[in-house]
Amino acid sequence: QVQLVESGGGLVLPGGSLRLSCAVSGRSVSTLAMGWFRQAPGKEREFVAALKRGSGSTSAANSVKGRFTVSRNNGENTAYLQMNGLKVEDTAAYFCAAGIGNPITSSLGVESTYDYWGQGTQVTVSS
C-alpha cells in the first residue's frame, strides 16, 4: 500500500516561492508516476504538473509552465513541486498523487491515471 504525505504549504506574498513535498512510503518513488493537482474553492480539481516514472520526464499545465517545477529525490523517496512567481490565482489545496502504471505523457494530467492520493496541503497567495 502506497501512502503519500504532503507538506510545505502556507501563506506567501504574490511573487514569492514555496516548495511542496510529497513523502512516499510503501514503494520507491522512482517506480511511480507522480502528479500534482490543485483545487480552489468552488472549482474542480485541476492538473498542475507530473513526473513520469523511470525517465522522469515531466509535464505541466500551461498556467504554471515556466514557474513550477516537479522533481523527485530517490534517496529521500519524495517528490517535490517547486513553485516560483506565485500568483493570487495559484491559491488552492494542492494534492500529490501516485500511479503504479507507466502512462503516456498525455495521460499524466488525467486523474484516473493515479492510484493513490495524499490529503492535500493549502497554499494561499495573498498580500
Side-chain angles (χ1 to χ4, degrees):
Q1 182 77 3
V2 174
Q3 292 186 319
L4 309 175
V5 178
E6 301 104 328
S7 61
L11 174 64
V12 63
L13 294 171
S17 298
L18 280 176
R19 187 178 77 160
L20 304 184
S21 300
C22 178
V24 179
S25 60
R27 190 170 175 132
S28 172
V29 69
S30 63
T31 68
L32 296 164
M34 298 299 300
W36 288 93
F37 291 76
R38 67 187 181 187
Q39 188 168 20
K43 295 187 177 181
E44 293 187 353
R45 190 157 56 185
E46 64 176 3
F47 170 69
V48 176
L51 184 71
K52 293 186 75 172
R53 76 180 196 187
S55 68
S57 58
T58 63
S59 176
N62 288 335
S63 60
V64 306
K65 280 182 179 176
R67 299 189 298 124
F68 292 10
T69 303
V70 59
S71 64
R72 69 179 182 230
N73 184 309
N74 294 339
E76 296 182 354
N77 217 38
T78 300
Y80 299 97
L81 182 67
Q82 177 67 44
M83 305 186 294
N84 299 326
L86 282 161
K87 304 176 181 180
V88 172
E89 52 264 42
D90 294 320
T91 295
Y94 283 71
F95 300 87
C96 71
I100 60 176
N102 191 20
I104 58 175
T105 301
S106 60
S107 295
L108 288 172
V110 179
E111 290 191 27
S112 60
T113 293
Y114 301 92
D115 305 288
Y116 304 97
W117 291 81
Q119 81 288 352
T121 186
Q122 179 67 34
V123 172
T124 302
V125 185
S126 175
S127 55

